[in-house]
Amino acid sequence: MRAVRGGASPVMIGRERELRRLAQLASARVPAVAVIAGEPGIGKTRLVQELLDALPPETVVLVGQAEPGSLSRPYEVLLDAIDGRAEVDEEQLAALGDPKRSPVERLHTGLAILADLVGDSPAVIVFEDLHWADSESAALFERIADQRGPRLLVGTYRPDEVTRRQPVAGLLARLERRHTVSHVRLDRLTPSQTAALLAAATGGPVPMRAATALHHRTGGNPFFLEELLRSMPGCQLDDIVDQPLPWSLADLLRRQTDDLDRVSHGVVEAAAVLGQRIPFDLLAGVTGATENELIQVLRDLVTRGVLVESGEDEFAFRHALFREAIADQMLGRQRRRLHEAALEALLAAGSSDPAMLAHHARGAGRYDDMVAAARRGAALYLSIGSAYQALQLAEMGLEEVPEDPELLSAAARAAWLAGLLDDAVRYGRGWRDVAASTTDRAESLYLLVRLAWESREWDEMGDLTREIETLIEELPPGADQARAMTAIAQSSMLRDDLPATMRWTERAMELAEEFDLPQVRLAALVEKGSALVEVPARAAEGRAILSGMVDEAEKAGEWVLAARALSNLVQGEPPESPAEFAEVLERMRTDAERAGFESLAVAGYFQGRARLAMRAGDLEAGIEALEEGREQDRGFLRHGRRADYHGVFLAGLYLEAGELDNVEKVIAELAAVPRLPKTSLPGLTFHLACRRGDRATAESTLDVLLAEMAKQTWHSGEQAHDLVSAALELGLPLERLDEMAAVLLDHTSWDAYRVLVDAQIAEARGRHADALTGYLSIVDADILPPSTRGTVRLGAARCLLAADRRAEATAQVEAAAALLASWGGWRVAQLEQARAMLGLAPADAAPAVTGVAALTPREREVALLISDGLTNTELARRLYISPKTAAVHVSNILRKLGVSSRTEVADAVGRST
């Protein structure tokens, strides 16, 4: 574990409240997260040290520090925290750094290492300088925050150095949404606090003149103050003020090495170029010093407080500002010479770290070596799913060769996988524009088609498809032509053009067979299977294709293709069992994480969890999964027709649960999402209006919805059922229901949903025999989730009751009750209505009064007005009540009469009179 940096003052000044707050979190013995923010030298590390010094001896302490450049060294912070700990299992340590293992395997290994070290003991785990942390360390920090146990997780960072291109930016946002994070912001010391620090450091009174002058000069930065005192040991404060003071912290830090001899100066300058972490052997190779000479110099530098021994044969600067100050004063030629020496030493030692090689090659001005290392590194990190690191290296190389196809390709893919869509588009277009080979052109167009779909740039998607068609005509049969065909197949699949998808995938697969192109074959199979699972009549064929190619894709290391195939299996017709569903879901997440495919690993995973909950009939679990997924998925809001799909999906489940205020909030948030599908907002707005009894809004929105749905090439039977159910509750005219069914359903809709909607409308028309036939034909349809099958059985029960077949109706209601046991909202309200109609009250309850006789006098008056066709607004005006009260009366009447629409209210009232 790296030594924690300390200060000159024997006591910490001005941070008592912050320390007390952290100490309370540590002593609470419950999971807690604290984030300490502040500028360099403000005292973040000192505050952490004071906290650690006050902990009980049984507390396990782990402190790891990121360093500049560690974006290209996965798990840098954890490795630093466990450095030198003999109890760490060597096999686990090797697995953590094994690039052949998937990211999720290495992440779980990191968590296992921490679990073994901490056990059930109270613990404080510190990740310092998160602004420099690699993406794996950021992901580990997030997972540790999710763990249970008596532990405090602390992160420190410099706010001014956080940009959206760094993993910590997304980490901080997600932590804020998912956890109660204690934010500790450290500000500069006030004049009085400056005086107190000076008094503590000197052990005597502080003249006002001295306190004022030193506060003015240092700006109240504690590290600057302490270093100023450290640089003038034994001086009185008045004497210090009278002397020429350094005008900057960097100047002050550099003064502390002014009296070093030439050899020592060379060592400290070489150390500054090598970075925060300085291996002894590399430093020796760069300086040319003998082992004894270097040991003597390093001992002196540690004594002076310039360096600290941070590990076995490893050193670090006492503060990152020290390294920066020394490096900044060096001449460019000096830095280049030292980088050159470092590069030669690394090459001679056979270093396999392309990031370090690229860093020193760039510093040495050896740009050919830098570009070569950047190419190797970007390819390596893409292969192990480290998208952020791959992007960083690719961009480093592009600074020198901005039109390099290989680096543009890596940058485009890495940005896409990391969810940086705008950057991916920019690099993808650059890749296409400079493509020197037809292979590059075909590959770039394949990616650009996907990016255009995710950006909802339909015109560009069409232009790209036509460009690919032209390319195919120019190419001879072979690998490039086959790859171009898979690009058109992907475009066709994304645009729901099944005939074109089938045509192009077949052509690509023929070429793949002829020229032995296994990767092209897998890509074509993904597009073909993904298209077929959306077609009810051929969904089984599509599932078989996708299931059959996943093993092959995983063995070939085609993790993106494997993850896409598994994602479409999760999104389509459900597997036969929840266990199988959960297995496919976890496998999809693993493959997506291995590919570094962050948007799919997050979005697809939590949507899948929600679907799994729905297949189990658990509405609350489904909502919880989507709420968590939506919070984690804020950075991935553009996914074709699933743009902010978490939001649309979540609003649907809120409607199921009757949480109408939450629905309204989600609709307001979705309104700000760019290029949202034109059917999403009208569909949700219509449904919400129906559930609230707002007939005017519902009818006006329905016209907009149907107009947009008529333009759409795909239709959801599930959506049709939900909207027709809402329209029935509102009591829309039957001709409007027929119009809805005609537009919302087509040949792409599942048969079970078409039968269900037809049965619902037949029941509303009073054609109970036809409706019963339809309901009974789908009571066990696998495509329908348990909640919908419960509604089907309730429809059958009402039709049976209309035929006075009470025993059979009772059986259907009891079956529905089992299916809806963990559901809620309007479906359960219908269940209670049916039970009331059948007199299925508790055994010890008084006999239930059902039908019109159960209505209060006021409710009878409202029921008669409903029979005359009055809306909630008109009811409120006629009866001098609020529309909300009118809606409550209507809901009670529907429940007591055991009906689901206003039309049926009129029928029930008519029969009673």
Side-chain angles (χ1 to χ4, degrees):
M1 182 182 71
R2 176 167 301 184
V4 179
R5 305 183 293 262
S9 172
V11 295
M12 186 176 62
I13 301 298
R15 311 298 188 212
E16 295 80 7
R17 181 172 57 85
E18 292 85 352
L19 178 59
R20 187 164 54 250
R21 185 176 174 190
L22 292 173
Q24 289 172 346
L25 291 174
S27 63
R29 303 296 176 93
V30 295
V33 181
V35 176
I36 305 172
E39 65 181 72
I42 202 66
K44 301 182 293 294
T45 299
R46 178 63 183 270
L47 177 61
V48 169
Q49 183 63 65
E50 293 288 335
L51 170 67
L52 301 183
D53 289 345
L55 294 174
E58 68 271 16
T59 304
V60 177
V61 174
L62 291 170
V63 181
Q65 182 182 345
E67 63 173 289
S70 65
L71 277 173
S72 294
R73 284 186 287 274
Y75 295 106
E76 174 72 23
V77 183
L78 175 61
L79 290 170
D80 187 47
I82 62 178
D83 186 29
R85 285 185 172 266
E87 63 268 40
V88 176
D89 184 87
E90 289 296 329
E91 290 185 5
Q92 286 184 320
L93 194 58
L96 183 67
D98 185 357
K100 296 179 181 179
R101 296 178 182 266
S102 73
V104 70
E105 288 176 310
R106 287 183 286 143
L107 178 61
H108 289 162
T109 298
L111 291 171
I113 290 172
L114 286 172
D116 290 342
L117 289 173
V118 173
D120 296 326
S121 302
V124 175
I125 301 171
V126 182
F127 277 38
E128 287 223 66
D129 296 328
L130 282 172
H131 50 281
W132 288 324
D134 57 280
S135 57
E136 284 83 358
S137 291
L140 181 64
F141 189 93
E142 185 173 355
R143 291 297 181 91
I144 297 172
D146 293 334
Q147 302 292 304
R148 298 184 180 278
R151 65 187 61 172
L152 169 61
L153 178 62
V154 179
T156 72
Y157 75 103
R158 302 178 185 177
D160 291 344
E161 297 194 27
V162 174
T163 70
R164 73 181 185 91
R165 307 299 299 277
Q166 293 167 296
V168 69
L171 167 66
L172 294 173
R174 291 191 297 271
L175 285 175
E176 187 65 33
R177 290 190 292 265
R178 295 172 54 209
H179 299 279
T180 301
V181 178
S182 295
H183 290 277
V184 179
R185 178 65 183 248
L186 300 184
D187 297 317
R188 293 187 174 192
L189 300 180
T190 64
S192 61
Q193 290 171 335
T194 298
L197 185 147
L198 293 171
T202 60
V206 179
M208 180 61 67
R209 170 174 168 268
T212 302
L214 293 176
H215 181 268
H216 175 72
R217 180 57 55 87
T218 63
N221 183 290
F223 184 67
F224 195 167
L225 276 166
E226 291 178 344
E227 291 303 311
L228 188 60
L229 297 176
R230 187 192 296 272
S231 68
M232 300 179 181
C235 288
Q236 297 297 314
L237 289 178
D238 283 331
D239 295 336
I240 293 177
V241 173
D242 290 335
Q243 296 184 31
L245 294 178
W247 282 103
S248 69
L249 177 58
D251 185 25
L252 170 63
L253 294 173
R254 286 193 291 265
R255 287 187 183 185
Q256 296 185 35
T257 60
D258 282 348
D259 61 340
L260 292 175
D261 59 38
R262 184 180 59 82
V263 174
S264 298
H265 254 299
V267 170
V268 80
E269 287 173 345
V273 167
L274 291 178
Q276 186 70 15
R277 183 187 297 276
I278 311 155
F280 183 94
D281 291 339
L282 181 58
L283 185 59
V286 171
T287 61
T290 67
E291 181 173 343
N292 287 335
E293 287 176 334
L294 190 55
I295 289 174
Q296 182 177 349
V297 171
L298 290 173
R299 183 185 297 118
D300 179 48
L301 292 173
V302 170
T303 302
R304 288 170 174 263
V306 176
L307 298 180
V308 295
E309 192 168 9
S310 57
E312 185 176 352
D313 283 340
E314 183 180 271
F315 296 82
F317 281 92
R318 182 165 53 83
H319 198 289
L321 291 174
F322 234 128
R323 185 190 65 80
E324 294 168 14
I326 294 170
D328 288 347
Q329 74 165 351
M330 296 168 61
L331 297 175
R333 190 175 189 86
Q334 279 181 287
R335 285 195 295 269
R336 286 195 300 273
R337 189 174 60 201
L338 289 168
H339 279 298
E340 176 98 29
L343 179 62
E344 291 297 340
L346 289 169
L347 291 172
S351 174
S352 60
D353 186 342
M356 188 175 291
L357 291 171
H359 168 71
H360 288 300
R362 179 170 63 174
R366 289 172 50 171
Y367 296 111
D368 289 345
D369 289 328
M370 183 267 285
V371 170
R375 288 184 185 132
R376 291 196 307 274
L380 169 65
Y381 289 122
L382 275 175
S383 71
I384 64 174
S386 296
Y388 280 100
Q389 288 89 318
L391 179 60
Q392 184 197 38
L393 279 174
E395 290 180 330
M396 182 188 295
L398 287 170
E399 291 176 5
E400 179 62 23
V401 283
E403 295 186 350
D404 183 83
E406 186 176 347
L407 290 172
L408 285 168
S409 166
R413 295 178 190 279
W416 172 52
L417 293 172
L420 300 169
L421 200 57
D422 292 339
D423 294 308
V425 170
R426 176 164 53 88
Y427 289 126
R429 289 172 179 168
W431 179 22
R432 175 198 58 187
D433 294 343
V434 303
S437 67
T438 52
T439 300
D440 267 343
R441 192 173 170 201
E443 292 281 353
S444 63
L445 289 170
Y446 183 89
L447 179 60
L448 284 171
V449 165
R450 181 82 189 189
L451 294 172
W453 180 69
E454 294 194 10
S455 302
R456 303 197 61 75
E457 297 290 351
W458 305 124
D459 292 341
E460 181 177 357
M461 195 173 180
D463 292 341
L464 289 167
T465 302
R466 287 186 287 273
E467 183 178 348
I468 300 169
E469 290 172 344
T470 301
L471 176 63
I472 289 173
E473 294 175 0
E474 299 171 357
L475 293 172
D480 292 343
Q481 190 184 64
R483 186 59 171 164
M485 289 176 179
T486 62
I488 296 187
Q490 177 183 234
S491 175
S492 303
M493 184 275 294
L494 295 173
R495 290 181 286 113
D496 302 298
D497 186 345
L498 178 63
T501 304
M502 300 301 294
R503 184 169 63 254
W504 287 107
T505 53
E506 292 299 334
R507 292 183 62 182
M509 290 170 64
E510 288 174 4
L511 289 176
E513 182 70 24
E514 180 181 351
F515 293 95
D516 189 24
L517 306 170
Q519 197 277 341
V520 169
R521 175 178 165 275
L522 288 171
L525 285 173
V526 167
E527 309 307 342
K528 182 178 181 179
S530 299
L532 290 176
V533 293
E534 298 286 345
V535 182
R538 303 189 66 178
E541 180 185 352
R543 290 185 61 81
I545 290 173
L546 294 176
S547 299
M549 57 81 59
V550 170
D551 285 339
E552 189 177 346
E554 290 175 337
K555 289 177 182 177
E558 293 290 344
W559 303 111
V560 171
L561 294 179
R564 283 186 56 205
L566 291 165
S567 175
N568 285 317
L569 286 172
V570 169
Q571 298 291 338
E573 184 181 6
E576 293 182 1
S577 71
E580 181 186 353
F581 192 112
E583 181 181 345
V584 172
L585 182 61
E586 290 299 330
R587 189 177 180 185
M588 182 275 292
R589 187 184 196 185
T590 298
D591 286 354
E593 288 183 334
R594 181 148 198 170
F597 203 163
E598 294 198 14
S599 58
L600 186 58
V602 176
Y605 177 72
F606 285 99
Q607 290 167 22
R609 272 182 48 188
R611 291 185 176 278
L612 181 60
M614 292 176 68
R615 298 308 303 180
D618 190 339
L619 179 57
E620 183 177 353
I623 289 174
E624 288 178 355
L626 285 177
E627 287 176 338
E628 182 178 357
R630 190 170 188 236
E631 292 304 326
Q632 291 202 29
D633 196 36
R634 293 287 185 177
F636 311 113
L637 298 183
R638 292 169 290 185
H639 297 286
R641 73 183 187 217
R642 294 187 173 89
D644 196 14
Y645 188 58
H646 279 129
V648 177
F649 197 167
L650 180 58
L653 292 192
Y654 282 151
L655 284 163
E656 285 283 331
E659 298 180 20
L660 304 187
D661 289 342
N662 283 337
V663 178
E664 188 171 17
K665 291 177 183 177
V666 174
I667 290 175
E669 293 169 357
L670 289 173
V673 174
R675 297 185 294 278
L676 194 71
K678 294 183 179 179
T679 58
S680 297
L681 285 179
L684 293 173
T685 302
F686 170 77
H687 197 157
L688 177 61
C690 289
R691 297 298 178 193
R692 282 182 164 170
D694 184 354
R695 191 185 192 97
T697 299
E699 289 188 333
S700 63
T701 307
L702 181 58
D703 292 330
V704 176
L705 173 63
L706 295 181
E708 293 298 337
M709 287 296 301
K711 304 173 188 176
Q712 192 164 274
T713 58
W714 61 276
H715 294 79
S716 165
E718 183 178 14
Q719 180 189 44
H721 161 61
D722 289 343
L723 295 178
V724 167
S725 298
L728 283 167
E729 180 174 315
L730 183 63
L732 288 186
L734 292 173
E735 56 270 19
R736 289 292 265 170
L737 298 178
D738 292 334
E739 184 183 359
M740 290 177 66
V743 174
L744 297 174
L745 296 166
D746 67 0
H747 67 282
T748 66
S749 307
W750 288 93
D751 289 342
Y753 280 109
R754 286 208 303 271
V755 171
L756 173 55
V757 171
D758 288 344
Q760 288 180 287
I761 295 176
E763 183 187 357
R765 290 183 177 278
R767 294 176 11 228
H768 295 105
D770 293 340
L772 178 61
T773 300
Y775 285 136
L776 293 178
S777 71
I778 56 172
V779 290
D780 294 316
D782 287 337
I783 190 60
L784 303 179
S787 57
T788 305
R789 295 203 305 273
T791 296
V792 168
R793 290 191 176 273
L794 291 175
R798 291 191 299 268
C799 294
L800 288 165
L801 193 57
D804 202 25
R805 296 159 62 178
R806 297 182 65 85
E808 294 171 79
T810 299
Q812 292 292 340
V813 168
E814 295 299 351
L819 292 166
L820 296 170
S822 297
W823 210 253
W826 64 271
R827 296 185 194 274
V828 172
Q830 286 190 355
L831 171 64
E832 294 306 315
Q833 292 166 4
R835 293 180 66 87
M837 292 170 64
L838 288 164
L840 297 178
D844 58 351
V849 179
T850 62
V852 175
L855 302 180
T856 66
R858 186 62 154 178
E859 287 169 349
R860 289 191 194 123
E861 182 181 9
V862 173
L864 289 171
L865 294 174
I866 291 174
S867 302
D868 291 336
L870 271 65
T871 66
N872 284 2
T873 301
E874 292 167 337
L875 286 171
R877 192 180 305 118
R878 178 77 64 87
L879 299 174
Y880 302 100
I881 58 178
S882 70
K884 185 175 182 180
T885 301
V888 171
H889 283 314
V890 172
S891 178
N892 289 337
I893 291 167
L894 293 173
R895 175 177 55 79
K896 291 181 179 181
L897 294 181
V899 298
S900 58
S901 70
R902 291 171 179 254
T903 304
E904 293 173 285
V905 172
D907 292 341
V909 173
R911 287 195 302 270
S912 70
T913 57

